[in-house]
Amino acid sequence: DVKVTQSSRYLVKRTGEKVFLECVQDMDHENMFWYRQDPGLGLRLIYFSYDVKMKEKGDIPEGYSVSREKKERFSLILESASTNQTSMYLCASSEQGISYGYTFGSGTRLTVV
Amino acid sequence: QKEVEQNSGPLSVPEGAIASLNCTYSDRGSQSFFWYRQYSGKSPELIMSIYSNGDKEDGRFTAQLNKASQYVSLLIRDSQPSDSATYLCAVSRKGRRALTFGSGTRLQVQP
């Protein structure tokens, strides 16, 4: 009954590496989101997409990019990983409109060393 | 001022008591409000949504919204140890497609 799937639960990468985090949803949702969650800071929006090939920057897009080539898949890319990008990354999806809450994936714990 | 504020806690209540979790928001144009529960090491799950002033009840949970005072609260009746988690308040602000989250309140229900 998994609806939002993140490809990795734990990742360890080296500084300077290009990192890909993948997210797939099977609910035919228009909206997909990437957040990072850090202690004391809560969930902060990195990027979101409201349609295929459409994207908008969130509150903390620096150092990240995204790709949405198909409706069900939304990828987060760390162009050159840095230690301050060590975090829990959460993908979510929702239907179009402000009345719909999110369904979250299980998260990816990324450590950059 | 943070856009969505929650007391980080921990809020400790005895089993069977009512737990009251509060959230304030700064954007008066906010339109939709959500409560998520997050167990340690897990991702958030949606438990309640509310859109208009007043109370909305779902089982042991009641969400309360007061737009004039810009706060939303979550009441958990007959609290159980399994309710121990972090509760996140999320707000849909006018003109913004994505939700803004508070940093969460940690609830501990003591057996």
Side-chain angles (χ1 to χ4, degrees):
Chain A
D1 191 34
V2 175
K3 296 182 174 146
V4 180
T5 303
Q6 294 186 233
S7 54
S8 304
R9 187 74 178 97
Y10 299 95
L11 274 180
V12 180
K13 296 292 182 181
R14 295 195 179 277
T15 300
E17 277 193 77
K18 191 168 186 176
V19 181
F20 293 85
L21 303 183
E22 305 288 343
C23 176
V24 177
Q25 52 96 2
D26 64 1
M27 296 170 287
D28 202 35
H29 284 171
E30 289 83 5
N31 297 332
M32 296 188 75
F33 309 86
W34 277 106
Y35 286 83
R36 62 178 282 179
Q37 185 174 31
D38 301 286
L41 297 177
L43 276 77
R44 292 180 292 167
L45 180 66
I46 304 171
Y47 266 98
F48 68 96
S49 170
Y50 51 91
D51 201 351
V52 175
K53 297 189 186 295
M54 304 302 288
K55 60 187 179 185
E56 282 193 27
K57 293 180 180 179
D59 299 315
I60 51 164
E62 297 78 18
Y64 303 94
S65 62
V66 290
S67 172
R68 192 169 182 198
E69 297 295 320
K70 294 184 178 180
K71 189 175 185 179
E72 66 270 19
R73 185 181 297 271
F74 191 36
S75 303
L76 180 69
I77 303 153
L78 285 67
E79 299 291 343
S80 177
S82 63
T83 55
N84 63 12
Q85 293 178 310
T86 291
S87 186
M88 170 67 84
Y89 289 86
L90 290 164
C91 175
S93 71
S94 76
E95 295 183 64
Q96 201 71 268
I98 63 167
S99 302
Y100 298 99
Y102 295 171
T103 301
F104 282 91
S106 55
T108 296
R109 169 78 59 187
L110 173 67
T111 302
V112 182
V113 297
Chain B
Q1 182 186 7
K2 287 185 179 179
E3 295 169 358
V4 181
E5 292 211 55
Q6 297 180 256
N7 189 319
S8 61
L11 172 66
S12 186
V13 300
E15 184 174 355
I18 296 175
S20 178
L21 303 160
N22 298 312
C23 170
T24 58
Y25 58 94
S26 60
D27 186 348
R28 191 168 287 277
S30 298
Q31 298 173 298
S32 303
F33 306 85
F34 303 88
W35 283 99
Y36 288 81
R37 177 176 61 200
Q38 186 174 26
Y39 292 113
S40 181
K42 302 293 186 182
S43 59
E45 56 178 327
L46 180 65
I47 53 172
M48 290 285 290
S49 59
I50 188 166
Y51 312 111
S52 52
N53 280 329
D55 295 0
K56 179 181 178 182
E57 189 174 317
D58 183 0
R60 296 186 297 114
F61 298 98
T62 299
Q64 300 175 317
L65 175 61
N66 184 322
K67 288 188 176 181
S69 299
Q70 294 176 240
Y71 81 80
V72 56
S73 60
L74 180 69
L75 301 178
I76 306 175
R77 289 182 299 282
D78 188 24
S79 295
Q80 300 297 309
S82 58
D83 294 325
S84 298
T86 296
Y87 289 80
L88 303 172
C89 172
V91 173
S92 174
R93 293 162 55 201
K94 190 175 181 180
R96 186 177 157 111
R97 295 177 190 261
L99 296 179
T100 302
F101 285 82
S103 54
T105 298
R106 190 157 63 96
L107 173 67
Q108 295 177 338
V109 181
Q110 307 295 336

